[in-house]
C-alpha cells in the first residue's frame, strides 16, 4: 500500500510570505499547479483520499475531484502545524507583537508552540498517529495536506522528529511513502 502525499497549491499567503490562515485560498498559480498534479494522478492507483479540513487543501482536492472520483474523508489530524495567533501574519509581525513567545519557539520549536498554536512535538505525535492509522487500511491513500505536516510524516517514517526541518515540500508536489511492514520513503517533491 502507498501513501501518496500531495501538498496543496501555492496560496495567496505563500506569495505574501505569511503564515497561511485556515481560510486562505489558492493563488492562480496554485490552481495551475494542482491542474498539473491532477493530470499526473491518472497514472496512480488510488483507493481513497484523506483531505485536510483547511480551505487551501479542500480547494486543492476540489480541483483533483473534478478529474477523479475518489471516495474521500476530511481528516482533522492531517492539517498543518497550528501557527496559532500568527495565522495570516508575517513572521516579522508575529515577532513584533508576540516577541517573547516567538523567541521561545525559535529557541526550541519542538517543545514550544507559537502563541495559541502547536509545538512540533505535538504535531509529530499527530503524524505518528496518522501513519499508524494508515497501516490498518488496504489500498493506496491520497493524502492532501500541507508542507509542514508532510515533512512531519516523512520525519516519522525515518523516526527522527528533528529531521522535519530538513524537508522542504514544494507546492503541488507529490511525495510517496511505501506503507508495508516497514514504511519507506520512495520519493519526495515530484512535480
Amino acid at each position: 500500500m502507498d501513501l501518496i502525499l500531495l501538498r496543496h497549491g501555492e496560496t495567496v499567503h505563500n506569495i505574501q510570505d505569511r503564515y497561511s490562515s485556515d481560510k486562505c485560498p489558492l493563488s492562480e498559480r496554485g490552481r495551475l499547479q494542482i491542474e498539473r498534479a491532477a493530470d499526473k494522478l491518472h497514472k496512480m492507483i488510488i483507493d481513497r483520499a484523506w483531505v485536510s479540513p483547511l480551505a487551501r487543501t479542500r480547494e486543492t482536492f476540489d480541483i483533483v475531484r473534478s478529474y477523479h472520483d475518489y471516495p474521500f474523508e476530511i481528516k482533522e489530524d492531517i492539517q498543518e502545524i497550528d501557527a496559532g495567533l500568527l495565522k495570516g501574519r508575517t513572521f516579522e509581525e508575529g515577532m513584533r507583537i508576540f516577541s517573547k513567545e516567538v523567541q521561545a519557539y525559535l529557541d526550541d520549536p519542538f517543545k514550544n508552540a507559537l502563541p495559541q498554536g502547536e509545538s512540533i512535538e505535538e504535531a509529530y505525535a499527530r503524524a505518528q498517529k496518522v501513519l499508524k492509522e494508515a497501516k490498518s487500511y488496504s489500498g493506496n491513500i491520497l493524502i492532501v495536506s500541507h508542507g509542514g505536516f508532510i515533512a512531519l510524516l516523512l520525519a516519522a517514517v525515518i523516526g527522527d522528529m528533528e529531521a522535519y526541518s530538513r524537508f522542504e515540500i514544494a507546492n503541488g508536489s507529490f511525495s510517496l511513502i511505501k506503507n508495508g511492514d516497514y514504511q519507506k520513503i520512495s520519493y519526495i517533491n515530484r512535480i
Side-chain angles (χ1 to χ4, degrees):
M1 179 184 72
D2 293 339
L3 302 179
I4 301 148
L5 314 175
L6 172 61
R7 183 180 179 196
H8 61 78
E10 177 188 77
T11 68
V12 172
H13 283 161
N14 291 148
I15 295 167
Q16 298 169 345
D17 205 22
R18 295 179 180 278
Y19 290 93
S20 288
S21 68
D22 295 350
K23 296 182 180 178
C24 183
L26 298 181
S27 66
E28 182 59 34
R29 180 174 180 224
R31 286 187 287 279
L32 293 172
Q33 289 169 332
I34 300 308
E35 292 279 344
R36 182 184 61 225
D39 184 55
K40 304 255 189 245
L41 287 170
H42 285 293
K43 299 174 186 169
M44 299 178 189
I45 297 169
I46 296 173
D47 299 291
R48 70 177 42 90
W50 290 351
V51 183
S52 162
L54 303 185
R56 56 198 182 269
T57 45
R58 293 194 62 166
E59 185 179 357
T60 294
F61 187 66
D62 286 345
I63 294 168
V64 167
R65 238 174 85 194
S66 68
Y67 297 95
H68 310 282
D69 189 24
Y70 309 123
F72 73 97
E73 179 181 349
I74 302 299
K75 293 199 61 87
E76 296 286 328
D77 282 343
I78 65 170
Q79 62 185 298
E80 184 60 288
I81 302 161
D82 189 346
L85 297 176
L86 269 67
K87 290 178 192 170
R89 301 181 193 273
T90 64
F91 175 79
E92 291 76 20
E93 289 170 339
M95 192 63 170
R96 187 175 63 250
I97 299 167
F98 306 104
S99 58
K100 182 179 174 185
E101 296 92 336
V102 172
Q103 188 58 55
Y105 176 80
L106 292 174
D107 291 343
D108 187 357
F110 298 100
K111 298 277 185 207
N112 299 311
L114 291 169
Q116 295 184 21
E118 173 180 43
S119 71
I120 303 302
E121 186 174 75
E122 290 166 328
Y124 183 75
R126 280 194 292 116
Q128 290 176 310
K129 178 181 168 189
V130 166
L131 289 176
K132 183 177 180 182
E133 181 181 354
K135 280 189 169 267
S136 68
Y137 286 88
S138 61
N140 297 333
I141 303 172
L142 173 66
I143 298 179
V144 183
S145 190
H146 309 268
F149 192 73
I150 290 171
L152 284 170
L153 288 170
L154 298 170
V157 167
I158 61 175
D160 181 3
M161 177 176 60
E162 293 186 14
Y164 134 86
S165 62
R166 295 188 184 106
F167 295 109
E168 185 173 339
I169 308 302
N171 290 108
S173 71
F174 292 101
S175 300
L176 185 98
I177 296 171
K178 292 285 186 189
N179 199 34
D181 291 337
Y182 296 98
Q183 292 169 324
K184 298 176 185 178
I185 299 168
S186 291
Y187 58 79
I188 300 170
N189 277 335
R190 281 215 181 140
I191 295 180

PDB file of all heavy atoms in Angstrom, residues 122-143:
ATOM      1  N   GLU A 122       3.994  18.167  19.333  1.00  0.00           N
ATOM      2  CA  GLU A 122       2.567  17.831  19.313  1.00  0.00           C
ATOM      3  C   GLU A 122       2.126  17.420  17.906  1.00  0.00           C
ATOM      4  O   GLU A 122       1.388  16.443  17.730  1.00  0.00           O
ATOM      5  CB  GLU A 122       1.734  19.025  19.796  1.00  0.00           C
ATOM      6  CG  GLU A 122       1.898  19.316  21.276  1.00  0.00           C
ATOM      7  CD  GLU A 122       1.349  20.681  21.678  1.00  0.00           C
ATOM      8  OE1 GLU A 122       1.384  21.634  20.868  1.00  0.00           O
ATOM      9  OE2 GLU A 122       0.894  20.783  22.829  1.00  0.00           O
ATOM     10  N   ALA A 123       2.582  18.166  16.909  1.00  0.00           N
ATOM     11  CA  ALA A 123       2.216  17.848  15.526  1.00  0.00           C
ATOM     12  C   ALA A 123       2.855  16.526  15.079  1.00  0.00           C
ATOM     13  O   ALA A 123       2.244  15.756  14.332  1.00  0.00           O
ATOM     14  CB  ALA A 123       2.625  18.986  14.592  1.00  0.00           C
ATOM     15  N   TYR A 124       4.067  16.261  15.551  1.00  0.00           N
ATOM     16  CA  TYR A 124       4.752  14.998  15.229  1.00  0.00           C
ATOM     17  C   TYR A 124       3.953  13.808  15.769  1.00  0.00           C
ATOM     18  O   TYR A 124       3.832  12.778  15.103  1.00  0.00           O
ATOM     19  CB  TYR A 124       6.164  15.024  15.817  1.00  0.00           C
ATOM     20  CG  TYR A 124       7.019  13.824  15.501  1.00  0.00           C
ATOM     21  CD1 TYR A 124       7.582  13.654  14.242  1.00  0.00           C
ATOM     22  CD2 TYR A 124       7.308  12.872  16.473  1.00  0.00           C
ATOM     23  CE1 TYR A 124       8.396  12.558  13.955  1.00  0.00           C
ATOM     24  CE2 TYR A 124       8.117  11.778  16.199  1.00  0.00           C
ATOM     25  CZ  TYR A 124       8.661  11.627  14.935  1.00  0.00           C
ATOM     26  OH  TYR A 124       9.467  10.553  14.664  1.00  0.00           O
ATOM     27  N   ALA A 125       3.381  13.963  16.951  1.00  0.00           N
ATOM     28  CA  ALA A 125       2.541  12.897  17.521  1.00  0.00           C
ATOM     29  C   ALA A 125       1.333  12.640  16.619  1.00  0.00           C
ATOM     30  O   ALA A 125       0.931  11.485  16.426  1.00  0.00           O
ATOM     31  CB  ALA A 125       2.100  13.265  18.937  1.00  0.00           C
ATOM     32  N   ARG A 126       0.777  13.697  16.039  1.00  0.00           N
ATOM     33  CA  ARG A 126      -0.326  13.523  15.081  1.00  0.00           C
ATOM     34  C   ARG A 126       0.137  12.738  13.856  1.00  0.00           C
ATOM     35  O   ARG A 126      -0.558  11.862  13.348  1.00  0.00           O
ATOM     36  CB  ARG A 126      -0.884  14.878  14.617  1.00  0.00           C
ATOM     37  CG  ARG A 126      -1.831  15.523  15.556  1.00  0.00           C
ATOM     38  CD  ARG A 126      -2.618  16.670  14.922  1.00  0.00           C
ATOM     39  NE  ARG A 126      -1.838  17.835  14.571  1.00  0.00           N
ATOM     40  CZ  ARG A 126      -1.651  18.285  13.335  1.00  0.00           C
ATOM     41  NH1 ARG A 126      -2.206  17.668  12.308  1.00  0.00           N
ATOM     42  NH2 ARG A 126      -0.932  19.370  13.114  1.00  0.00           N
ATOM     43  N   ALA A 127       1.334  13.085  13.356  1.00  0.00           N
ATOM     44  CA  ALA A 127       1.880  12.393  12.178  1.00  0.00           C
ATOM     45  C   ALA A 127       2.071  10.908  12.469  1.00  0.00           C
ATOM     46  O   ALA A 127       1.731  10.051  11.634  1.00  0.00           O
ATOM     47  CB  ALA A 127       3.196  13.045  11.751  1.00  0.00           C
ATOM     48  N   GLN A 128       2.600  10.592  13.636  1.00  0.00           N
ATOM     49  CA  GLN A 128       2.775   9.181  14.008  1.00  0.00           C
ATOM     50  C   GLN A 128       1.428   8.465  14.060  1.00  0.00           C
ATOM     51  O   GLN A 128       1.303   7.332  13.591  1.00  0.00           O
ATOM     52  CB  GLN A 128       3.484   9.078  15.360  1.00  0.00           C
ATOM     53  CG  GLN A 128       4.935   9.497  15.309  1.00  0.00           C
ATOM     54  CD  GLN A 128       5.560   9.480  16.694  1.00  0.00           C
ATOM     55  OE1 GLN A 128       5.017  10.033  17.649  1.00  0.00           O
ATOM     56  NE2 GLN A 128       6.715   8.828  16.789  1.00  0.00           N
ATOM     57  N   LYS A 129       0.425   9.132  14.600  1.00  0.00           N
ATOM     58  CA  LYS A 129      -0.925   8.563  14.697  1.00  0.00           C
ATOM     59  C   LYS A 129      -1.497   8.301  13.303  1.00  0.00           C
ATOM     60  O   LYS A 129      -2.100   7.251  13.054  1.00  0.00           O
ATOM     61  CB  LYS A 129      -1.821   9.534  15.476  1.00  0.00           C
ATOM     62  CG  LYS A 129      -3.247   9.102  15.615  1.00  0.00           C
ATOM     63  CD  LYS A 129      -4.043  10.159  16.385  1.00  0.00           C
ATOM     64  CE  LYS A 129      -5.530   9.886  16.282  1.00  0.00           C
ATOM     65  NZ  LYS A 129      -6.331  10.979  16.829  1.00  0.00           N
ATOM     66  N   VAL A 130      -1.309   9.238  12.381  1.00  0.00           N
ATOM     67  CA  VAL A 130      -1.810   9.085  11.011  1.00  0.00           C
ATOM     68  C   VAL A 130      -1.134   7.897  10.330  1.00  0.00           C
ATOM     69  O   VAL A 130      -1.791   7.087   9.673  1.00  0.00           O
ATOM     70  CB  VAL A 130      -1.617  10.388  10.210  1.00  0.00           C
ATOM     71  CG1 VAL A 130      -1.806  10.169   8.712  1.00  0.00           C
ATOM     72  CG2 VAL A 130      -2.562  11.474  10.721  1.00  0.00           C
ATOM     73  N   LEU A 131       0.183   7.776  10.480  1.00  0.00           N
ATOM     74  CA  LEU A 131       0.888   6.646   9.860  1.00  0.00           C
ATOM     75  C   LEU A 131       0.412   5.313  10.434  1.00  0.00           C
ATOM     76  O   LEU A 131       0.243   4.337   9.691  1.00  0.00           O
ATOM     77  CB  LEU A 131       2.399   6.792  10.043  1.00  0.00           C
ATOM     78  CG  LEU A 131       3.058   7.898   9.226  1.00  0.00           C
ATOM     79  CD1 LEU A 131       4.540   7.995   9.580  1.00  0.00           C
ATOM     80  CD2 LEU A 131       2.877   7.685   7.729  1.00  0.00           C
ATOM     81  N   LYS A 132       0.178   5.286  11.726  1.00  0.00           N
ATOM     82  CA  LYS A 132      -0.317   4.058  12.355  1.00  0.00           C
ATOM     83  C   LYS A 132      -1.712   3.728  11.836  1.00  0.00           C
ATOM     84  O   LYS A 132      -2.009   2.572  11.504  1.00  0.00           O
ATOM     85  CB  LYS A 132      -0.333   4.214  13.877  1.00  0.00           C
ATOM     86  CG  LYS A 132      -0.759   2.975  14.606  1.00  0.00           C
ATOM     87  CD  LYS A 132      -0.683   3.161  16.107  1.00  0.00           C
ATOM     88  CE  LYS A 132      -1.112   1.890  16.807  1.00  0.00           C
ATOM     89  NZ  LYS A 132      -1.094   2.046  18.256  1.00  0.00           N
ATOM     90  N   GLU A 133      -2.585   4.732  11.742  1.00  0.00           N
ATOM     91  CA  GLU A 133      -3.939   4.501  11.234  1.00  0.00           C
ATOM     92  C   GLU A 133      -3.904   4.012   9.784  1.00  0.00           C
ATOM     93  O   GLU A 133      -4.660   3.128   9.399  1.00  0.00           O
ATOM     94  CB  GLU A 133      -4.765   5.778  11.332  1.00  0.00           C
ATOM     95  CG  GLU A 133      -6.185   5.608  10.846  1.00  0.00           C
ATOM     96  CD  GLU A 133      -7.014   6.871  10.907  1.00  0.00           C
ATOM     97  OE1 GLU A 133      -6.544   7.897  11.432  1.00  0.00           O
ATOM     98  OE2 GLU A 133      -8.145   6.830  10.398  1.00  0.00           O
ATOM     99  N   ALA A 134      -3.028   4.585   8.986  1.00  0.00           N
ATOM    100  CA  ALA A 134      -2.940   4.209   7.567  1.00  0.00           C
ATOM    101  C   ALA A 134      -2.586   2.737   7.398  1.00  0.00           C
ATOM    102  O   ALA A 134      -3.010   2.096   6.436  1.00  0.00           O
ATOM    103  CB  ALA A 134      -1.931   5.092   6.843  1.00  0.00           C
ATOM    104  N   LYS A 135      -1.819   2.189   8.331  1.00  0.00           N
ATOM    105  CA  LYS A 135      -1.430   0.767   8.244  1.00  0.00           C
ATOM    106  C   LYS A 135      -2.639  -0.160   8.353  1.00  0.00           C
ATOM    107  O   LYS A 135      -2.582  -1.305   7.929  1.00  0.00           O
ATOM    108  CB  LYS A 135      -0.412   0.419   9.317  1.00  0.00           C
ATOM    109  CG  LYS A 135       0.989   0.837   8.956  1.00  0.00           C
ATOM    110  CD  LYS A 135       1.962   0.269   9.969  1.00  0.00           C
ATOM    111  CE  LYS A 135       3.361   0.446   9.482  1.00  0.00           C
ATOM    112  NZ  LYS A 135       3.866  -0.699   8.756  1.00  0.00           N
ATOM    113  N   SER A 136      -3.742   0.324   8.915  1.00  0.00           N
ATOM    114  CA  SER A 136      -4.923  -0.533   9.081  1.00  0.00           C
ATOM    115  C   SER A 136      -5.779  -0.606   7.815  1.00  0.00           C
ATOM    116  O   SER A 136      -6.767  -1.332   7.778  1.00  0.00           O
ATOM    117  CB  SER A 136      -5.769  -0.048  10.264  1.00  0.00           C
ATOM    118  OG  SER A 136      -6.365   1.206   9.968  1.00  0.00           O
ATOM    119  N   TYR A 137      -5.416   0.148   6.789  1.00  0.00           N
ATOM    120  CA  TYR A 137      -6.168   0.161   5.531  1.00  0.00           C
ATOM    121  C   TYR A 137      -5.417  -0.631   4.467  1.00  0.00           C
ATOM    122  O   TYR A 137      -4.197  -0.627   4.421  1.00  0.00           O
ATOM    123  CB  TYR A 137      -6.347   1.588   5.016  1.00  0.00           C
ATOM    124  CG  TYR A 137      -7.355   2.393   5.797  1.00  0.00           C
ATOM    125  CD1 TYR A 137      -6.974   3.101   6.922  1.00  0.00           C
ATOM    126  CD2 TYR A 137      -8.683   2.438   5.394  1.00  0.00           C
ATOM    127  CE1 TYR A 137      -7.903   3.839   7.643  1.00  0.00           C
ATOM    128  CE2 TYR A 137      -9.617   3.169   6.104  1.00  0.00           C
ATOM    129  CZ  TYR A 137      -9.222   3.868   7.223  1.00  0.00           C
ATOM    130  OH  TYR A 137     -10.137   4.593   7.931  1.00  0.00           O
ATOM    131  N   SER A 138      -6.189  -1.259   3.589  1.00  0.00           N
ATOM    132  CA  SER A 138      -5.577  -1.840   2.404  1.00  0.00           C
ATOM    133  C   SER A 138      -5.825  -0.864   1.263  1.00  0.00           C
ATOM    134  O   SER A 138      -6.766  -0.079   1.291  1.00  0.00           O
ATOM    135  CB  SER A 138      -6.173  -3.208   2.093  1.00  0.00           C
ATOM    136  OG  SER A 138      -7.555  -3.073   1.846  1.00  0.00           O
ATOM    137  N   GLY A 139      -4.988  -0.861   0.288  1.00  0.00           N
ATOM    138  CA  GLY A 139      -5.134   0.054  -0.837  1.00  0.00           C
ATOM    139  C   GLY A 139      -4.327   1.324  -0.642  1.00  0.00           C
ATOM    140  O   GLY A 139      -3.746   1.566   0.417  1.00  0.00           O
ATOM    141  N   ASN A 140      -4.285   2.110  -1.693  1.00  0.00           N
ATOM    142  CA  ASN A 140      -3.482   3.337  -1.706  1.00  0.00           C
ATOM    143  C   ASN A 140      -4.324   4.529  -1.258  1.00  0.00           C
ATOM    144  O   ASN A 140      -5.484   4.651  -1.648  1.00  0.00           O
ATOM    145  CB  ASN A 140      -2.941   3.592  -3.112  1.00  0.00           C
ATOM    146  CG  ASN A 140      -2.010   2.486  -3.570  1.00  0.00           C
ATOM    147  OD1 ASN A 140      -1.377   1.811  -2.764  1.00  0.00           O
ATOM    148  ND2 ASN A 140      -1.943   2.281  -4.868  1.00  0.00           N
ATOM    149  N   ILE A 141      -3.700   5.399  -0.475  1.00  0.00           N
ATOM    150  CA  ILE A 141      -4.388   6.570   0.057  1.00  0.00           C
ATOM    151  C   ILE A 141      -3.701   7.833  -0.458  1.00  0.00           C
ATOM    152  O   ILE A 141      -2.491   7.999  -0.296  1.00  0.00           O
ATOM    153  CB  ILE A 141      -4.378   6.585   1.599  1.00  0.00           C
ATOM    154  CG1 ILE A 141      -5.006   5.302   2.167  1.00  0.00           C
ATOM    155  CG2 ILE A 141      -5.098   7.828   2.126  1.00  0.00           C
ATOM    156  CD1 ILE A 141      -4.856   5.151   3.674  1.00  0.00           C
ATOM    157  N   LEU A 142      -4.478   8.719  -1.064  1.00  0.00           N
ATOM    158  CA  LEU A 142      -4.011  10.057  -1.411  1.00  0.00           C
ATOM    159  C   LEU A 142      -4.249  10.937  -0.193  1.00  0.00           C
ATOM    160  O   LEU A 142      -5.379  11.041   0.291  1.00  0.00           O
ATOM    161  CB  LEU A 142      -4.799  10.599  -2.613  1.00  0.00           C
ATOM    162  CG  LEU A 142      -4.535  12.065  -2.975  1.00  0.00           C
ATOM    163  CD1 LEU A 142      -3.108  12.265  -3.468  1.00  0.00           C
ATOM    164  CD2 LEU A 142      -5.546  12.537  -4.033  1.00  0.00           C
ATOM    165  N   ILE A 143      -3.182  11.550   0.320  1.00  0.00           N
ATOM    166  CA  ILE A 143      -3.289  12.449   1.472  1.00  0.00           C
ATOM    167  C   ILE A 143      -3.028  13.866   0.972  1.00  0.00           C
ATOM    168  O   ILE A 143      -1.920  14.177   0.534  1.00  0.00           O
ATOM    169  CB  ILE A 143      -2.295  12.052   2.591  1.00  0.00           C
ATOM    170  CG1 ILE A 143      -2.626  10.648   3.107  1.00  0.00           C
ATOM    171  CG2 ILE A 143      -2.322  13.081   3.711  1.00  0.00           C
ATOM    172  CD1 ILE A 143      -1.696  10.130   4.188  1.00  0.00           C
TER     173      ILE A 143
END
